[in-house]
Amino acid sequence: MKMKIAIIGTGGIGAGLASVLANGKNEVTLSDRKGGAEAAAKLAAKGVSVRASEVRPAVQAADVVILAVPYTAAAGLAEVVDFAGKIVVDVTNPVKDDFSGLTIGHEISAAEEIARALSGATVVKAFNTVFAQVYDQGLSFGATPVQTFVAADDADAKAAVIALAKDAGFDARDAGPLSNARYIEPLAYLNIQFGYMLGQGTQIAPAWLSH
């Protein structure tokens, strides 16, 4: 069944996710404060077919909503539209403005805070450890697909997001309950440290390997 996906946020992450999720199996709508038309047009120029919409109708029509906005903006979306009954994928990382660390962690995560703010939504953590630039080059490093770690308390919602991720080309890993976002978010920050502070660039991604 074709999934209706609303991506809120049209920066590099939002556009990158749209480019891999709009693979013919899904109907993808991009949305931002300006309606998403500019971002949709840029993707269309690259041969990626997505729709554009205001936030409220995009969320209302969606099966899955992806939050590709800054963490500080995510909770405020509850004032714009009702997310009850929606699978909401949190892609945020609670990084300080100066990138010196995380604003929250250890005892709580951005994903859990968002779940509290979006009453009635089923929140899933995923895709937050992937640099936007990785989407431009493709979701693999040689023969190794990029991993994403998917955490949620609802088994059906988690399975749906894992299926979407695999269809898009990710090696999607079940990362347990939503509380494990407390560890996935610091992993994303470590990736930022490797990429920017330690000079490894943005064509990198964390992975768990096994024989």
Side-chain angles (χ1 to χ4, degrees):
M1 183 178 68
K2 183 175 287 191
M3 296 286 284
K4 293 182 178 180
I5 303 169
I7 300 177
I8 312 302
T10 56
I13 296 293
L17 280 166
S19 69
V20 297
L21 290 171
N23 55 13
K25 297 180 180 179
N26 307 303
E27 179 184 298
V28 176
T29 299
L30 272 177
S31 183
D32 58 21
R33 285 177 292 181
K34 298 180 180 179
E38 182 178 345
K42 289 180 179 178
L43 285 172
K46 299 178 181 179
V48 179
S49 178
V50 298
R51 301 183 180 192
S53 172
E54 299 290 339
V55 172
R56 186 189 298 273
V59 171
Q60 289 174 336
D63 302 308
V64 176
V65 181
I66 296 176
L67 301 185
V69 297
Y71 166 61
T72 52
L77 290 170
E79 300 174 5
V80 178
V81 62
D82 184 4
F83 287 83
K86 303 295 181 181
I87 296 174
V88 175
V89 182
D90 170 34
V91 190
T92 72
N93 288 305
V95 180
K96 293 180 179 179
D97 290 341
D98 63 359
F99 286 86
S100 63
L102 300 178
T103 60
I104 58 174
H106 302 300
E107 296 181 354
I108 196 65
S109 64
E112 291 168 285
E113 292 284 21
I114 289 169
R116 291 175 181 176
L118 303 185
S119 179
T122 302
V123 174
V124 180
K125 190 77 187 187
F127 307 124
N128 67 303
T129 58
V130 183
F131 281 125
Q133 294 86 346
V134 169
Y135 294 102
D136 294 332
Q137 301 298 317
L139 292 178
S140 64
F141 293 93
T144 305
V146 173
Q147 291 183 7
T148 185
F149 310 104
V150 185
D153 293 330
D154 185 284
D156 291 339
K158 186 194 296 184
V161 174
I162 286 174
L164 283 175
K166 288 182 175 180
D167 282 344
F170 285 97
D171 174 7
R173 301 296 183 97
D174 185 335
L178 191 65
S179 59
N180 279 351
R182 301 174 192 182
Y183 316 117
I184 302 172
E185 290 165 8
L187 177 63
Y189 181 67
L190 180 61
N191 197 45
I192 291 170
Q193 285 283 317
F194 277 128
Y196 290 106
M197 288 68 171
L198 298 174
Q200 294 191 21
T202 55
Q203 287 303 310
I204 59 172
W208 257 253
L209 304 179
S210 61
H211 288 293

